[in-house]
Amino acid sequence: MGTSILIIAELKGSTLRRVTLEALGVAAALLHERSGDIACFLAGSNKADLELASKELARHGAHHVYVASGEAHQPIQALTSLPPILSIIKELKPQYIIAGHTAYGRELAPRLAAELKAGYIADIISMEEFEGQLQFTRPIYAGKAFETRTFHGTSPHLLTIRPNNFAPASVADDVEQANVEPIFITEEAATPLPSIVKNVVQRMSSSIDLTEAEIVVAGGRGVRGSDGFKLLQALADELGGAVGASRAACDAGYCDYSLQIGQTGKVVTPQLYIACGISGAIQHLAGMSQSRTIVAINKDPDAPIFSIADYGIVGDLFEVVPLLTAELKALHQ
Amino acid sequence: MKIIVLMKQTFDTEEKVEITNGMIEEHGAKFVINPYDEYALEEALRIKEQNGAEVIAITVGPERSSVALRTGLALGIDQAIMICDAEHGDHSYRIAALLAEVIKPLKPDLILAGLFAVDSGSGSVALQVAQLLQLPHASAAVKLRLGTAEELLIEDAPWSGTLALVDRDVEGDVETVVIPLPAVVTAQQGLNDPRYPSLPGIMKAKKKAIIERYPSELLAEVNQDDLSSSLTVRTALFPPSPRSAGKRLSGDGSQQTKQLLHSLIEANIIQRGGN
Ligand SMILES: Cc1cc2nc3c(=O)[nH]c(=O)nc-3n(C[C@H](O)[C@H](O)[C@H](O)COP(=O)(O)OP(=O)(O)OC[C@H]3O[C@@H](n4cnc5c(N)ncnc54)[C@H](O)[C@@H]3O)c2cc1C
């Protein structure tokens, strides 16, 4: 019997989140040249979307796709997903269970850990094999330190991965693989713990998922208002990126809370992060300090953000941001 | 109503974090109540003030953690329980099992906790407690109302008794969920504005007792295999890789932007022809 890995897949709207494909990438790396199977669990309410997403999972290396479909899974909830996932685990006895470190994955993994008496390493950003042992690295202390952990107990082992830190699985060239038929879970698993979703107010203002964006232009209190955020949006559009914000900018009503980056908000790891009028409080850094390249635009030369910036511009964002947009426009012509 | 608040004393992450001999240097460090637990504690105190409730705070940790409970007492909690367990701070199943053992006989109506602790950052313990006690949960609450279905104007609730109507933050969206009590609710920033302890409160708290509990007694009922199977261990601890000393761009705005774009294109971070 080979290694078996279960991925908790996740849809956003009608398509798979990229972090799911990244989890499949991690699974492929875990299997490496070992024989084994990758199974996915996917929940949702629209059968057509689920079927398309299942094909997509198979194309990216899933050998089996288990689907829980129905109104109860709209929107997806950790509590409603738990019973079908537990029954799949009972059947497959996977060595690893991997989810994205998303709102959904963050809720599911601890419940699974307690139920399965399993080790859980959360929010990993890299993985390495050292002397035959798998080591997982994660940020702690709001990004002021990093730790590497290993599983010490018996499987299953639970992992959640930070979005945008692992390469997504490549598309399998195996034709047979792509023909995997989704297995719709029909029999009633145990009743979930009681919870009803009354209402969802979607505040996602842009079509790009911030956590998946390659480029983020973020504004803080220094942006001074929603008009200032329009300048950032113009720059983000020119770069093909998304707009983010600090807590202070959200609290001041300059932009929506869905744009908030940091400990309380979203954690992003883009290729390029441009912080405009953001001082660089630790709670903000916790959400972006892993960005590959950081640019800070701030008129205060002592702002802490400069200590983590690769490129610092001491200046007025109202001058610099439009200049950047104009220069880029010229470059792109 | 009986409310339990799960509290962790954490390193103040606003302070400098230093690593000596592969450990976080605690000497001279500042410790605080985990900020997200402060929201949980404040919410419990507000419920107590509005509807009357008994509030019990529980913490697991080394001796210094009792300071956090003292603060809780100064703020107005009724009872403080300290589970003395210094060594296993990152074994979340163990912590959850210890908490569950203490909580079970107390039969609380509501368990409040922070969304996660700012030191370890896993957000695991409170939800593991929920699973061990087979309680529903709502996480990342930004608004919490308690009452009967009638009081909360919920027409189609299939449950009688007290319910929690929770607005929760789901990656920036707001999802409103209803769960019947007893339940676990975790607090997100925005739930409330935590108060500070008053001087008379601090004075009074000094005289109050903190109940101590020990793993030796609590884990007697817990399966040892479950403790070992859930174990993960730290093999390394290190500071963030130092970023190559950032470059300050000089000149006027136009020169700075030109330099920046040039560097970003050179480094292949953006493309000349557009991304
Ligand atoms: C428990 C907890 C959780 C938190 N979570 C988060 C979180 O998730 N995300 C988050 O961001 N914060 C969070 N915070 C808040 C955080 O501590 C800071 O208050 C916040 O990040 C500050 O936002 P800011 O940098 O925009 O504002 P400020 O600190 O006010 O900084 C504004 C900056 O703009 C600069 N500036 C002003 N005008 C201009 C101009 N014209 N051109 C250029 N620069 C200019 C100023 O020099 C200054 O550096 C949290 C706090 C707590 C206690």
Side-chain angles (χ1 to χ4, degrees), chain A residues 219-224 245-249 251 260-266 276-287 297-301 303-305 313 315-319, chain B residues 14 35-36 38-39 118 188-189:
Chain A
R221 205 197 307 270
V223 176
R224 292 211 293 259
S246 74
R247 176 82 186 185
D251 279 344
Q260 185 185 183
I261 289 168
Q263 198 167 66
T264 304
K266 296 189 167 120
C276 311
I278 292 176
S279 62
I282 183 62
Q283 297 89 352
H284 186 77
L285 302 189
I297 303 167
N298 197 305
K299 64 181 183 189
D300 173 8
I305 189 81
I313 295 183
D316 186 342
L317 73 93
F318 291 97
E319 184 200 344
Chain B
E14 302 208 16
Y36 295 85
E38 281 189 304
Y39 302 123
V118 297
Q188 167 68 310
Q189 184 181 30

Side-chain angles (χ1 to χ4, degrees), chain A residues 37-56:
Chain A
D37 269 7
I38 301 173
C40 289
F41 169 80
L42 179 66
S45 61
N46 184 314
K47 223 164 166 169
D49 289 348
L50 290 166
E51 271 170 4
L52 269 178
S54 303
K55 290 253 177 319
E56 202 53 23

